[in-house]
Amino acid sequence: MILAIDVGNTNTVIGGFDGETLRFTVRISTNQTQTADEYALKLQGMFIMHKVCAKEIEGGIISSVVPVLSPVLQQAVEQLTGQRVLIVGSGLKTGLNIRIDNPGQLGSDLVVDAVAASHCYQKPILIFDMGTATTLSVVDGKGGYIGGMIMPGIRLAMDALSSSTSQLPRVDLTPPGQIIGTNTVECMQSGAIYGNAAMIDGVIDRLEEQLGEHATVVATGGMVNTVIPYCRHKIISDETLMLRGLKILYEKNRPAVERRNRLV
């Protein structure tokens, strides 16, 4: 079994792959103050819950937008399983042709999303990853990563709206019955959900105009099911895209891991 770990700003998603089968997924809160021992205890509890023996783990791979946690989780997995763990970053073989001004600035999460989407879907591809931030990655028809966008995530924007105004409450993101709200809460919910859906639709229109062709549109991330059902474009919702991308990257780099294990 291979562990795939996606560390986001708000949540960390952990998946266990038996071959190509995703046997389980777990979502926990990202906590920068926790130690490797504390994360190891969480992982151990996760293994018990899903009836996984630590000896089943052959290796692991981590993608993190919280750099301080990469070595912490790496140590946690290695001390629990005794197996080497890769971290997505420079030096890792991706097979992705990154054509932006400074390829070293591209976040590991965007790399993993693009690797998975390029493997699974017809190009060109627009990839929306909806978490604390909403990111967009563009993979052209030749498989090149040509750039993207970064926007405030829906929950982050709503929290900022509530905390920066004196009369607007914090609301849940339940869709209102109609687009025109008739009270404050409904107006905020409509603005968040339909407003973000309209933004995504508009961005897709402009990007396809610039690309000069129709694109496959894929959406992933913790907020994907809150917004994507209200978009007018055909958008593929793929909640396991990041985990599958991590598995693909692990397989691409497996020979290097095995060589290191033989030297230990």
Side-chain angles (χ1 to χ4, degrees), residues 82-105:
Q83 300 296 325
R84 296 278 177 169
V85 177
L86 297 174
I87 296 176
V88 179
S90 60
L92 202 69
K93 186 189 301 183
T94 66
L96 190 65
N97 180 19
I98 303 173
R99 294 167 46 207
I100 63 175
D101 294 343
N102 185 351
Q105 288 184 339

Side-chain angles (χ1 to χ4, degrees), residues 79-263:
Q79 73 183 33
L80 192 60
T81 67
Q83 300 296 325
R84 296 278 177 169
V85 177
L86 297 174
I87 296 176
V88 179
S90 60
L92 202 69
K93 186 189 301 183
T94 66
L96 190 65
N97 180 19
I98 303 173
R99 294 167 46 207
I100 63 175
D101 294 343
N102 185 351
Q105 288 184 339
L106 188 61
S108 62
D109 55 330
L110 304 186
V111 170
V112 177
D113 278 343
V115 166
S118 297
H119 181 80
C120 299
Y121 300 106
Q122 183 176 343
K123 306 175 187 69
I125 313 167
L126 310 179
I127 309 155
F128 289 90
D129 194 331
M130 307 182 69
T132 305
T134 295
T135 60
L136 165 69
S137 298
V138 183
V139 177
D140 68 14
K142 296 179 180 178
Y145 188 103
I146 61 173
M149 300 173 71
I150 302 174
M151 299 155 274
I154 181 172
R155 183 73 268 173
L156 179 67
M158 291 302 289
D159 286 346
L161 187 63
S162 300
S163 63
S164 300
T165 57
S166 58
Q167 296 189 41
L168 294 181
R170 192 178 193 277
V171 300
D172 62 47
L173 293 174
T174 303
Q178 57 183 8
I179 191 169
I180 301 174
T182 56
N183 56 63
T184 299
V185 170
E186 285 187 356
C187 287
M188 293 177 69
Q189 291 170 331
S190 180
I193 295 171
Y194 290 109
N196 273 269
M199 175 188 70
I200 289 171
D201 282 328
V203 165
I204 293 169
D205 287 336
R206 293 177 182 230
L207 286 170
E208 290 188 331
E209 182 180 346
Q210 182 171 331
L211 290 170
E213 59 183 320
H214 176 73
T216 304
V217 185
V218 182
T220 190
M223 302 303 297
V224 65
N225 290 324
T226 303
V227 176
I228 296 306
Y230 301 93
C231 293
R232 291 180 172 176
H233 278 274
K234 179 183 177 182
I235 301 174
I236 301 166
S237 178
D238 189 341
E239 294 181 77
T240 64
L241 186 71
M242 174 70 76
L243 295 178
R244 287 189 290 139
L246 285 168
K247 175 64 163 51
I248 292 167
L249 286 177
Y250 183 87
E251 295 300 335
K252 284 181 181 290
N253 292 272
R254 183 190 284 268
V257 176
E258 291 174 345
R259 282 196 301 272
R260 279 190 295 170
N261 285 340
R262 285 196 296 269
L263 293 173

Side-chain angles (χ1 to χ4, degrees), residues 4-19:
I5 302 176
D6 168 29
V7 183
N9 287 296
T10 304
N11 293 311
T12 294
V13 182
I14 304 167
F17 284 90
D18 266 339

Side-chain angles (χ1 to χ4, degrees), residues 5-56:
I5 302 176
D6 168 29
V7 183
N9 287 296
T10 304
N11 293 311
T12 294
V13 182
I14 304 167
F17 284 90
D18 266 339
E20 298 304 313
T21 302
L22 183 58
R23 183 165 156 187
F24 67 84
T25 59
V26 174
R27 183 180 294 268
I28 62 175
S29 297
T30 299
N31 188 336
Q32 297 187 42
T33 66
Q34 288 195 326
T35 66
D37 290 335
E38 289 171 315
Y39 272 109
L41 286 171
K42 282 189 175 182
L43 288 169
Q44 189 175 48
M46 177 191 74
F47 290 163
I48 292 170
M49 181 171 65
H50 290 279
K51 298 179 174 60
V52 174
C53 176
K55 292 181 179 179
E56 291 182 59

